[in-house]
Amino acid sequence: MSQDAAHHAPTSTGIDHKKLIMWLFLASDCMFFGTLISTHLLYRKLYPTGFTDAEGHQQFVQKLFNIELTSFSTFILLMSSFLMALAVSAMHKGQLKSFRRNVVGVIFFGLIFLGCQVYEFTHFYHQGLTIQNSVLGSTFYVLTGTHGTHVAIGILWLVMLYFYSFTGKLGGHVGALDVEVAGLYWHFVDIVWIIIFTAVYLVEYLGPSGIWGNGLPVLAK
Amino acid sequence: MSHDAHHAPVASKLELAPERSDLGLYRPDRTRGLLDWLTTVDHKKIGVLYGAFAMLYFLIGGLEALAIRTQLARPDQTFVTARMYNQLFTMHGTTMIFLGVMPLSAAFFNFLVPLQIGARDVAFPRLNAFSLWAFVFGAFVLNASWLFEFGHLAGWFDGFAWHQALTYTDFAPANGWFSYAPLSGTFGQANAALQAPRFTGVGTDFWIIGIQILGVASLAASFNFICTIINMRAKGMTMMRLPVFTWMTLVTSFLIILAFPAITVALIELMFDRQFGANFFNPSAGGQPVLWQHLFWIFGHPEVYILVLPAMGIVSEILPTFSGKALFGYPIIVFSGAVIGFLGFAVWSHHMFTTGLGPVPTAAFALLTMAIAVPTGVKIFNWLGTIWGGRIRFTPPMVLALGFIWMFMCGGFSGVMHSAAPADSQQQDSYFVIAHFHYVLLGGVLLGLMAGLYFWFPKIFGRMPNATVAYVASGLVILGFNLAFGPMHYLGLAGQPRRTHTYHAGNGWEDWNFVATVGAFILGIGVFMAFANLVYTAFKGPKCSSDPWDGRTLEWSLPSPVPEYNFAQSPVVSARDAFTEHKHGTKRIAYEADGGEAGVHMPSQSWMPMLAAGGFLFIGFGMPMMAMGIPHAGWIVVSGVAVLFAGIWFWALEGPGGYMLKTPAVSPTPAGTPAASTSAH
Ligand code: HEM
Ligand SMILES: [Cu+2]
């Protein structure tokens, strides 16, 4: 948001400051999510059974997960990335109207994703998974919640860009760059979700007994 | 954007016509005095502020250290209670690392990097100011825990229900600087208020949020510096012509952006345990405290290189200057710096040998740790090669830099000793480890930073520190330091445990502990003298020429103090050690045709970085107050988040701004004339 001093001088590498700093931030964020995901996976390996439900029974995660719903929200987030790419390219061509249309789509899909997450959290909570009652609850909610926070910040950012586009000040090279940088962030958050979806949800269903060796039949419901 | 409708170029920002920003507010460009310092986006002023705060915290951390040493001077003393002792060593370590060494390094990054690469500012000036204020507020939050502790000791809180409900009342952090779980965490089941029973008082919550805020400050600064170094080099300033200090800043910044996320996550997890009843490290619910150790040291070991690399960079600038020779093996020094940075991520478990990692990991981490001593040793040989056969001039910075090599090497030796896992199981948690890391951190890093202060102070303020006082102070520091920490090698091997508030007579530890305390006081006096000399110089010292040391890098080609636009015309360099080549060699520095009457573009000042960072102040107080059980404290946190977002929002809306500043048409250093004399003292 602030390419203060140097937009007059070309940069040494030819890469814009804003784009470079976003890449650096994303590199850092990789380590951030890497640490969170490792925490979750380490504990999954250690405690193959998931949590104790409200009736005091040991429960497996597969019983909890609604893989259809999560697949749907993953698909939605992927599509939002597609729209984001369209928005960026529209901005590069200076097509403000098309930019707005696409960005509204991104925001809308992002909100659907967040809605699914809210539904999922409440559903899991009622099934008896809380942040306090198990290590699984702690790692799951904090990991996916942190990702959700990233999505929410992305939405806030895009909403601001959307309204800013009506002031007539979003345009030209600087405007396209601003949108592109927001796009980088959005795609990254999306990719992280693909990894979370795989590592946290999908692998729980791998193999007849699951990779955690918990002896559970596939898709036990 | 407003800056496209530029004002006419002005000779001083005080002459600017008032102009509203997109927000409808006036930018604080035409300020002077205090307001100017509070809203500055000038990397040099930000550097000075970093340095001033760092020196303040060095003194505070030093007082804490002296209290510790006073308590340990004789056996069975009761100068402080055990509880107070825990808070003292925790705050001492935390202060020295996060509020002393890191900000002082940041002071050098800020002041020097743009000058050394021939730029007029950093890539994101307002972000730079944000880093500064986030650091200032984070440091304040951390130390505010002392205010609560004193309030508690004075009985101010006795009448309050929340105070009576507290189990533990250490208000200042008391877990050690690495806050190992489960001590820092929780046990048992969370109650309805989401609070699980804890082992320690709210000091830990101050520590968690304080370090988190400081982490944000470091991350933001590092993104900025990497961008600056990669993207804003003057023409001809290729990567392999960068001054070594700038190189080390680059490596350090990469270490920060890749290592800090681990501690950020660890802190979030610990915070969830303590404040929301999560179980990350709660052993009674299956949490694994050893995970904290892993996460902490994945950050912690790179952190020790974050601390030392800038000092190595400084020394690599000082030694060639006073040996009258180019740095021996420049590419190798740069390369070993990068290798150290890389390997630094692969040795963290050497801090955890005694947790029982198993034979294979233990052997692997021991080997890698031994391997990391190689690039470190390579650097030492390069420094020796640099002074070898040189015409050595003894000056205060040179003496301190030589002290650095000597002391740092001793620390390296003991480091290699505990890279051998079986030996380490004897040394772990004993005074031997204390000796090791003080040799690298104090004998190494602090001496290096002090050398840097004495070296660049004439550039920063245009005034020369008194050399006699500096020599005496350096002597006291080196003498006191060795008296204080040398004996700790012996004490550690003789079994004295660290972090223990007292010891009984009869273990054979009395004499050396007494010596160590005497040494600590000599050291304290030395550091105080060295700093006092500098503070005096900043205001009253004798004026000096712009190139008093016959410097080698671009910053010495500028007037002292450096004008706000840095370079009247952008330099074009064609050699490493550009200024030396310019003065004594054949390859002159050329200058671009910018500046002059047309002016150079200066970024506008702003209140927004401080406003945004001010949100951290609320969050930083709110979280521990929530943990204390103070009613409605959560709202302080919420308002903090609101202030943070508002600050960022206004920041975005006000836009970069900027104005054009005229510069003298010719570069101040006449090309071709060897500037100043080689040595005036
Ligand atoms: C030759 C290079 C080095 C080697 C081989 C080395 C090795 C080690 C090892 C194995 C430990 C763990 C000791 C234990 O807890 O039992 C340790 C601790 C430590 N090292 Fe180093 N080290 C080296 C350089 C450095 C440097 C350059 C710094 C900082 C500037 C540093 C700072 C520390 C600190 C702060 C600790 C103690 C952490 C604590 O337990 O509180 N070391 N070192
Ligand atoms: Cu280490």
Side-chain angles (χ1 to χ4, degrees):
Chain A
M1 259 164 251
S2 67
Q3 191 190 15
D4 288 3
H7 52 255
H8 288 263
T11 62
S12 312
T13 53
I15 305 169
D16 283 293
H17 290 333
K18 281 189 195 173
K19 215 189 270 183
L20 185 58
I21 204 172
M22 184 43 85
W23 280 110
L24 292 168
F25 169 76
L26 297 182
S28 187
D29 225 23
C30 274
M31 301 300 280
F32 181 87
F33 277 111
T35 312
L36 277 170
I37 294 172
S38 319
T39 303
H40 179 81
L41 292 183
L42 282 167
Y43 279 129
R44 286 302 294 132
K45 183 85 191 148
L46 209 53
Y47 305 116
T49 44
F51 66 106
T52 315
D53 69 13
E55 285 92 49
H57 301 303
Q58 280 287 308
Q59 290 294 358
F60 292 94
V61 238
Q62 290 93 332
K63 170 148 188 287
L64 192 71
F65 285 167
N66 183 341
I67 197 72
E68 292 83 359
L69 176 77
T70 317
S71 305
F72 167 73
S73 68
T74 305
F75 178 73
I76 286 290
L77 200 62
L78 262 181
M79 287 307 106
S80 79
S81 243
F82 176 62
L83 292 183
M84 189 71 230
L86 291 183
V88 172
S89 107
M91 202 58 206
H92 272 296
K93 293 187 207 127
Q95 299 162 346
L96 217 53
K97 280 223 177 70
S98 150
F99 159 75
R100 284 191 199 122
R101 244 194 336 267
N102 285 308
V103 130
V104 167
V106 180
I107 294 168
F108 182 62
F109 280 12
L111 286 174
I112 294 183
F113 177 84
L114 279 190
C116 288
Q117 196 164 41
V118 171
Y119 170 80
E120 192 185 63
F121 277 23
T122 26
H123 178 67
F124 289 3
Y125 181 79
H126 289 303
Q127 299 264 306
L129 182 73
T130 71
I131 208 169
Q132 293 97 28
N133 72 358
S134 58
V135 174
L136 173 72
S138 305
T139 62
F140 176 81
Y141 285 120
V142 171
L143 167 59
T144 52
T146 311
H147 180 269
T149 310
H150 273 70
V151 175
I153 290 175
I155 292 177
L156 203 65
W157 188 354
L158 293 177
V159 168
M160 281 161 67
L161 278 176
Y162 174 76
F163 284 116
Y164 193 62
S165 77
F166 288 100
T167 63
K169 289 175 192 150
L170 189 74
H173 173 69
V174 177
L177 187 67
D178 284 352
V179 174
E180 199 176 335
V181 168
L184 280 178
Y185 175 84
W186 189 266
H187 294 315
F188 173 79
V189 172
D190 198 354
I191 292 168
V192 169
W193 180 256
I194 305 292
I195 295 168
I196 293 179
F197 180 60
T198 314
V200 175
Y201 294 82
L202 285 182
V203 290
E204 301 284 357
Y205 299 92
L206 275 185
S209 44
I211 61 157
W212 311 120
N214 54 19
L216 201 79
V218 193
L219 286 180
K221 281 266 168 167
Chain B
M1 276 178 236
S2 63
H3 62 272
D4 289 333
H6 279 308
H7 317 287
V10 288
S12 148
K13 61 177 190 154
L14 297 174
E15 294 168 12
L16 283 171
E19 190 205 45
R20 286 172 197 267
S21 73
D22 294 355
L23 262 182
L25 302 172
Y26 292 107
R27 298 296 285 266
D29 277 333
R30 296 169 303 138
T31 47
R32 53 176 122 199
L34 184 64
L35 289 186
D36 183 36
W37 282 91
L38 294 180
T39 59
T40 188
V41 292
D42 180 340
H43 68 98
K44 299 179 288 298
K45 289 196 172 131
I46 291 175
V48 169
L49 287 172
Y50 262 115
F53 278 107
M55 280 161 74
L56 172 72
Y57 284 115
F58 265 123
L59 292 180
I60 295 179
L63 288 178
E64 286 155 359
L66 291 182
I68 293 172
R69 277 321 311 172
T70 308
Q71 163 71 11
L72 292 182
R74 310 292 313 145
D76 299 307
Q77 289 229 98
T78 50
F79 176 67
V80 292
T81 61
R83 195 169 279 279
M84 176 54 82
Y85 186 86
N86 292 348
Q87 301 177 41
L88 281 173
F89 73 68
T90 303
M91 281 304 282
H92 162 70
T94 307
T95 301
M96 286 302 190
I97 289 178
F98 294 101
L99 313 182
V101 172
M102 287 185 74
L104 195 51
S105 300
F108 285 110
F109 297 168
N110 267 288
F111 188 85
L112 288 174
V113 164
L115 302 184
Q116 290 200 326
I117 64 176
R120 293 213 169 88
D121 210 322
V122 293
F124 298 92
R126 284 182 297 167
L127 188 63
N128 207 19
F130 172 78
S131 303
L132 169 75
W133 296 115
F135 151 66
V136 170
F137 294 146
F140 183 68
V141 165
L142 211 47
N143 278 280
S145 62
W146 279 129
L147 303 181
F148 278 88
E149 172 71 14
F150 293 137
H152 157 69
L153 291 178
W156 295 345
F157 307 139
D158 287 350
F160 292 97
W162 62 264
H163 188 257
Q164 284 148 8
L166 291 178
T167 321
Y168 293 108
T169 49
D170 334 285
F171 281 84
N175 306 279
W177 83 279
F178 44 52
S179 281
Y180 271 3
L183 180 63
S184 57
T186 54
F187 59 95
Q189 265 292 313
N191 63 22
L194 299 187
Q195 303 231 329
R198 302 159 193 172
F199 289 109
T200 52
V202 291
T204 309
D205 301 292
F206 273 110
W207 187 86
I208 292 172
I209 195 69
I211 301 293
Q212 197 72 284
I213 297 170
L214 294 168
V216 174
S218 297
L219 283 168
S222 302
F223 295 138
N224 211 343
F225 282 111
I226 299 178
C227 257
T228 306
I229 296 172
I230 292 186
N231 251 354
M232 293 180 69
R233 284 165 289 130
K235 289 217 175 70
M237 181 61 82
T238 58
M239 292 304 276
M240 289 316 268
R241 284 182 190 156
L242 286 180
V244 175
F245 177 76
T246 300
W247 254 113
M248 293 305 117
T249 307
L250 185 65
V251 176
T252 306
S253 303
F254 268 109
L255 284 178
I256 289 178
I257 70 166
L258 298 177
F260 264 76
I263 185 92
T264 308
V265 168
L267 289 169
I268 292 177
E269 293 177 349
L270 191 61
M271 183 195 78
F272 266 91
D273 274 13
R274 289 181 64 93
Q275 304 212 322
F276 306 107
N279 302 305
F280 287 101
F281 310 113
N282 177 351
S284 47
Q288 298 284 323
V290 80
L291 177 66
W292 170 270
Q293 297 196 21
H294 278 293
L295 295 184
F296 184 87
W297 288 113
I298 286 174
F299 147 79
H301 189 81
E303 169 71 11
V304 307
Y305 290 102
I306 291 168
L307 300 171
V308 80
L309 287 176
M312 290 180 160
I314 289 172
V315 168
S316 307
E317 302 286 340
I318 293 176
L319 293 174
T321 306
F322 296 114
S323 307
K325 281 173 68 192
L327 187 66
F328 181 80
Y330 169 98
I332 297 180
I333 290 232
V334 168
F335 185 68
S336 10
V339 170
I340 288 178
F342 187 73
L343 279 182
F345 280 98
V347 297
W348 78 89
S349 287
H350 66 211
H351 296 270
M352 302 166 57
F353 283 144
T354 52
T355 55
L357 300 163
V360 175
T362 300
F365 279 107
L367 280 174
L368 280 164
T369 304
M370 292 174 193
I372 208 167
V374 175
T376 317
V378 165
K379 284 194 166 219
I380 299 207
F381 281 111
N382 277 296
W383 291 324
L384 296 182
T386 306
I387 48 183
W388 185 270
R391 287 192 324 282
I392 298 180
R393 284 180 288 149
F394 281 99
T395 58
M398 184 64 173
V399 167
L400 288 161
L402 293 174
F404 165 94
I405 302 185
W406 175 34
M407 299 293 95
F408 181 76
M409 235 162 57
C410 297
F413 291 148
S414 53
V416 176
M417 284 169 76
H418 38 233
S419 68
D424 184 63
S425 53
Q426 293 299 309
Q427 296 154 3
Q428 158 98 74
D429 248 338
S430 78
Y431 261 84
F432 192 84
V433 174
I434 307 281
H436 158 68
F437 68 73
H438 281 89
Y439 267 84
V440 280
L441 282 176
L442 209 163
V445 178
L446 184 60
L447 281 190
L449 293 174
M450 281 169 58
L453 284 173
Y454 273 93
F455 187 55
W456 278 293
F457 228 67
K459 178 52 59 189
I460 301 175
F461 295 101
R463 295 171 188 274
M464 181 57 80
N466 181 302
T468 316
V469 180
Y471 283 131
V472 174
S474 314
L476 288 179
V477 168
I478 295 177
L479 172 80
F481 168 72
N482 282 291
L483 271 184
F485 294 98
M488 288 185 196
H489 291 105
Y490 166 76
L491 286 172
L493 294 180
Q496 187 178 347
R498 74 191 271 203
R499 295 184 173 166
T500 309
H501 75 288
T502 192
Y503 55 93
H504 297 310
N507 286 316
W509 301 337
E510 298 91 328
D511 297 344
W512 287 120
N513 267 300
F514 188 73
V515 172
T517 300
V518 172
F521 276 90
I522 298 178
L523 170 64
I525 294 169
V527 174
F528 184 79
M529 247 175 100
F531 283 4
N533 190 17
L534 291 175
V535 173
Y536 175 84
T537 307
F539 295 103
K540 296 260 163 68
K543 293 236 160 64
C544 63
S545 80
S546 64
D547 183 24
W549 311 122
D550 191 15
R552 309 179 69 84
T553 38
L554 280 179
E555 73 270 23
W556 300 106
S557 71
L558 298 171
S560 314
V562 180
E564 48 193 322
Y565 46 79
N566 294 356
F567 294 88
Q569 289 167 288
S570 300
V572 180
V573 299
S574 44
R576 201 180 286 160
D577 287 332
F579 195 45
T580 294
E581 275 294 324
H582 179 77
K583 289 181 293 188
H584 310 302
T586 47
K587 295 177 180 148
R588 294 279 137 88
I589 301 172
Y591 290 93
E592 289 186 50
D594 55 357
E597 282 299 303
V600 295
H601 182 267
M602 301 294 295
S604 280
Q605 296 184 204
S606 174
W607 284 105
M608 297 316 151
M610 190 197 253
L611 178 67
F616 290 135
L617 207 52
F618 290 76
I619 301 172
F621 275 94
M623 298 294 301
M625 284 165 77
M626 265 169 79
M628 288 177 216
I630 295 179
H632 309 303
W635 290 108
I636 305 181
V637 179
V638 174
S639 48
V641 175
V643 171
L644 175 65
F645 273 93
I648 296 175
W649 196 55
F650 291 143
W651 177 333
L653 285 189
E654 76 176 358
Y659 56 92
M660 300 301 284
L661 195 63
K662 289 183 199 166
T663 69
V666 212
S667 177
T669 309
T673 39
S677 60
T678 29
S679 166
H681 22 259

